[in-house]
Amino acid sequence: MTMSDIEPTEADVSPPEPALDESQSVALEVDELTKIYPDGTVAVEEISFSISEGDFCVLIGPSGCGKSTTLHSLVGKIPVTEGTIRLGGEDITDEPTYERDIGLVFQDFQLFPHLTVEENIGYGLERLQVDADDRTARVEDMIEMMRLEELVDRHPEELSAGQKQRVALARSMVLKPKLLLLDEPLGDMDYKLQKHMERELLRLHRQLDTTFVYVTHDQTQAMRLADQIVVMNDGKIEQSDSVERVYNDPATAFVSAFVGDSNIFTGELTDVSDDGSYAHIETPLGTFLATTANLRSEPTSLVGERIPFSVRPQYLEVTDELDNSVSCQVEDVIHQPGSGTQVILEATTPEGAAHEIQLKSFDRIDPTGTVDVGWSADHATLLEQTSIVDGIDLETDILGE
Amino acid sequence: MTATAIAIESVTKSFRSETVLRDIQLEVESGEFCVVLGPSGCGKSTLLKCIAGLIESDDGTIALDGRDAADLSVQDRNLGYVFQEFEETLFPHKTVAENIAFGLEQRDDPPTQSEIDETIDEMLTLLAIEETRDDLPGALSGGQQQRVELARQLCRNCEVMLFDDPLADLDYKLQKRMELEMRSLHADLGSTFLYITHNQDQALKLADKLVVMNRGMIEQIGTPETVYHNPKNAFVCRFVGDSNALVTNGKPTEVGDGVVDVQTEVGPMRATAQNGTESETGMLIVRPEAVSLETDDCDVTVTGVLEGRTYTGETTEFAVSLDGTDREFYVVVPDNPEIGAIGDPIDLGWNVDDALYFDELSVTDTVTITDLIEE
């Protein structure tokens, strides 16, 4: 087949949304931040990102990626080695913690156990010696806003997890911070409760209209909560973008594999269509057509290079009528009531190497035996960069465990 | 092996004045993957310990492969048992291979050294941890240690394997990977798995037979499909899978064919009665994926205000406020449709079949409506 024969099937791809809304003003700006600990460990290296006013930003990455160091630098708990942090346009890099206008919500919320709900909320204002009338008024406003009216005299041990979360947010928000940092507050909860708390947190965020920065290692939680995701890896930022872009237009193979599920194929980019929109990738499983829409380089400059591409499981179908298809053996079919079917497949190269492929359908399907699995070229996302970090290997570091 | 691997008959257990298991009846068929799902404190761990012989029940019988377990010591029950806190069960000074070999050497008819080596290799390959063979447990990641413990228990070749939430502490990606491995291990080994967890998502993926427990009692036993689509009561419907609940007020009016009219917080609504029509207050439940944003062909429609929108890559969840309740209503749809801006009015609809009206909340008599609408 030559490139001029290629007529990709119409795929239902929504155009990528703008990375971040330019009209929103910037709340937080981190510029070339570096933190080197006294023992020489480089925890974060020249990272830069900014967050728009009122957004919910999630910092995510594997343990040791530098997300906690970043959070501690923002709050002023540790001095930075290099770089600047600006909050609402003001350089706060060297400001002490208490002058930063930043609130902090901890893991498990850490309310004062011996104080009532009302006293917990008023504690910070009292420390700042805000006058009594003003203090009472602000605490009352917060209590009403957080629907805590009936709980004011209770102690933390008498509260449900959802109520504790509301008190913890109220305790921080009563100080009117410009930014609220949340350090894995929902880390240690069971599945059902965690989902409930996430929804509650989103509701409160909308209501409070404050910029949130949330740290977690849980990809699915990040996807559920974020307006903006900052994906970190080994002290660097792999991508800082909207959920849409991180999922559908990942900057690196690391991001594609770390955020959401993906099938990654690797091969040589052999040729590019006349208009530059599509490329052929020759893999051990066959030659596949992929869109070049997300490439950062000129597609023709990559001819002859090994470039992986990824296809999200939901874009695979049991069919041979799309741009690409591969014959697979069905290994397992998992019907999950309420969310569809997950199919685990295995494709085998002519040399006999097995390659696992996952397919997700929102409908109930029941494939068996050997089937053709297909996907459109527009859903095959080329990943020209493996990772922002040097020396990361796709096979061993990303696709292996 | 008889067709029934585990038969539990009228088992009851109290610790001091607190009843933790109440009249438990459960049969697990040979070769079945049975998952017991329930909130923490529901009694599922106690039940597992009674089966293993680590706790003695007060009343009732447990039969293993047709034999009364009361006559069998813990060793003679010949059960594999994987705990959640697996780190503490491995020998820290033995290598991975030695740890696995220990399980084999403990058998009544211990295999030869070459058979042991062969089995270890098979297990390590099956669980994709070949490279850890000569490492000490301390050098392994949590997920690897967990798989070593799994290998050690699986090697014992027990007909029945008990699992106490073994994947709970693993990170998300590894948990998803191990769920698939548990399914394929079960298919390959053909042994009976009894698995307890508090994770609904995992339970629905793994189970042939799903047992929902609550407050020491069994609420429902069925396939994941049955439990999800035909929940016996409001507790099961709320606990298994995601749901929107509306509180109803006044006795439902029967329209025929199980269809009823009920008065909810957000107005009168038509629904399908699931378990009676006698109560003055009940609950109407609609799954988020059963709600449609195209309301033309829907039996029931409501108008709300779009409050929030959460796109997660695979699906989008819309949070909608309705007049009459301060709890948000959730709608989940595939992909990422454009349906207007936050603050806009939005029409929701669903079919009467998907509006589940529950008269009874739970088989326990202590569950209240408040318990089911607040977490």
Side-chain angles (χ1 to χ4, degrees), chain A residues 1-13:
Chain A
M1 174 165 82
T2 64
M3 266 296 166
S4 47
D5 301 333
I6 297 163
E7 279 291 321
T9 50
E10 284 288 311
D12 180 23
V13 187

Side-chain angles (χ1 to χ4, degrees), chain B residues 170-217:
Chain B
L170 304 182
D171 74 30
Y172 176 78
K173 287 262 162 173
L174 188 55
Q175 202 174 88
K176 299 292 127 184
R177 167 58 37 202
M178 289 298 292
E179 285 168 4
L180 298 178
E181 278 181 26
M182 291 300 298
R183 284 177 59 95
S184 81
L185 277 170
H186 176 256
D188 291 349
L189 295 167
S191 42
T192 309
F193 280 20
L194 181 63
Y195 187 107
I196 67 174
T197 181
H198 65 260
N199 184 327
Q200 294 77 4
D201 187 59
Q202 203 172 88
L204 288 171
K205 269 190 206 159
L206 296 180
D208 298 324
K209 179 186 277 177
L210 183 60
V211 179
V212 182
M213 277 188 76
N214 183 33
R215 302 188 183 179
M217 296 178 81

Side-chain angles (χ1 to χ4, degrees), chain B residues 234-245:
Chain B
F235 173 84
V236 174
C237 192
R238 289 290 277 166
F239 191 71
V240 180
D242 202 0
S243 62
N244 295 298

Side-chain angles (χ1 to χ4, degrees), chain A residues 40 46 53 72 114 165 174 187 194 225 232 243 252 287 292 325:
Chain A
E46 292 181 13
E53 195 89 54
H72 292 151
H114 57 288
Q165 171 164 276
V174 76
Q194 194 168 315
L225 294 174
M232 295 189 68
V243 173
T252 64
T287 299
T292 56
S325 76

Side-chain angles (χ1 to χ4, degrees), chain B residues 23-203:
Chain B
D23 194 26
I24 299 292
Q25 315 274 353
L26 173 64
E27 288 196 351
V28 183
E29 306 307 323
S30 177
E32 200 166 45
F33 200 139
C34 176
V35 178
V36 180
L37 172 70
S40 26
C42 72
K44 57 190 189 298
S45 287
T46 304
L47 180 63
L48 205 69
K49 289 185 176 123
C50 288
I51 296 166
L54 304 174
I55 291 178
E56 205 177 322
S57 63
D58 297 338
D59 238 320
T61 56
I62 295 173
L64 297 171
D65 193 17
R67 295 195 294 166
D68 189 340
D71 302 334
L72 301 170
S73 68
V74 173
Q75 285 75 24
D76 289 343
R77 292 184 190 206
N78 194 27
L79 303 164
Y81 198 141
V82 183
F83 295 88
Q84 189 177 334
E85 299 84 14
F86 49 88
E87 296 96 336
E88 287 150 35
T89 60
L90 295 174
F91 298 109
H93 303 299
K94 287 181 191 279
T95 64
V96 166
E98 287 162 356
N99 263 289
I100 298 172
F102 184 80
L104 293 164
E105 288 154 4
Q106 295 307 299
R107 282 198 205 163
D108 289 342
D109 51 341
T112 64
Q113 190 57 47
S114 67
E115 285 170 336
I116 289 180
D117 285 339
E118 202 178 310
T119 312
I120 290 173
D121 288 338
E122 265 174 41
M123 274 298 159
L124 292 177
T125 309
L126 188 63
L127 295 168
I129 44 171
E130 299 98 318
E131 72 285 0
T132 68
R133 201 179 201 286
D134 301 317
D135 293 337
L136 294 175
L140 308 181
S141 70
Q144 289 171 327
Q145 289 185 34
Q146 171 69 310
R147 279 178 280 177
V148 175
E149 177 59 14
L150 261 176
R152 190 164 71 147
Q153 294 295 331
L154 293 169
C155 272
R156 293 176 52 210
N157 233 358
C158 301
E159 294 283 356
V160 175
M161 293 292 305
L162 306 179
F163 298 94
D164 188 351
D165 224 346
L167 312 183
D169 289 341
L170 304 182
D171 74 30
Y172 176 78
K173 287 262 162 173
L174 188 55
Q175 202 174 88
K176 299 292 127 184
R177 167 58 37 202
M178 289 298 292
E179 285 168 4
L180 298 178
E181 278 181 26
M182 291 300 298
R183 284 177 59 95
S184 81
L185 277 170
H186 176 256
D188 291 349
L189 295 167
S191 42
T192 309
F193 280 20
L194 181 63
Y195 187 107
I196 67 174
T197 181
H198 65 260
N199 184 327
Q200 294 77 4
D201 187 59
Q202 203 172 88

Side-chain angles (χ1 to χ4, degrees), chain A residues 12 14 17 147 160-163 189-193 195-196 199-200 202-203 206 217-220 223-227 243-245 247-248 256-262 313-315 332-339 342 344 356 358 360 362 364 401, chain B residues 39-40 144 147 171-174 176-177 180-181 183-184 198-202 204-206 224-225 228-229 237-244 288-289 307-315 317 319 326-328 330 332 334-336 338 342 373-375:
Chain A
D12 180 23
S14 36
E17 300 199 357
R147 297 185 203 153
S160 71
Q163 292 163 344
M189 282 174 197
D190 78 24
Y191 179 82
K192 191 96 193 171
L193 183 58
K195 261 205 104 172
H196 170 75
R199 284 173 168 167
E200 180 77 357
L202 284 171
R203 190 181 65 78
R206 292 196 294 267
H217 64 272
D218 182 336
Q219 301 84 335
T220 52
M223 296 293 277
R224 284 196 291 263
L225 294 174
D227 296 314
V243 173
E244 283 85 351
R245 301 262 300 178
Y247 190 78
N248 293 314
S256 179
F258 189 73
V259 178
D261 296 324
S262 54
Q314 85 223 49
Y315 300 133
D332 197 1
V333 178
I334 307 165
H335 294 296
Q336 207 180 344
S339 59
Q342 187 186 5
I344 312 300
E356 187 185 280
Q358 293 200 17
K360 165 97 202 235
F362 296 109
R364 191 191 161 99
E401 250 173 47
Chain B
S40 26
Q144 289 171 327
R147 279 178 280 177
D171 74 30
Y172 176 78
K173 287 262 162 173
L174 188 55
K176 299 292 127 184
R177 167 58 37 202
L180 298 178
E181 278 181 26
R183 284 177 59 95
S184 81
H198 65 260
N199 184 327
Q200 294 77 4
D201 187 59
Q202 203 172 88
L204 288 171
K205 269 190 206 159
L206 296 180
E225 301 269 342
Y228 188 87
H229 293 294
C237 192
R238 289 290 277 166
F239 191 71
V240 180
D242 202 0
S243 62
N244 295 298
E289 75 277 5
E307 300 287 348
R309 181 179 170 287
T310 308
Y311 170 66
T312 63
E314 289 190 357
T315 56
E317 176 174 295
D326 58 8
R327 295 187 310 282
E328 286 176 337
Y330 299 99
V332 175
D335 300 320
N336 193 9
E338 282 304 321
I342 303 297
I373 57 173
E374 282 174 9
E375 308 281 332

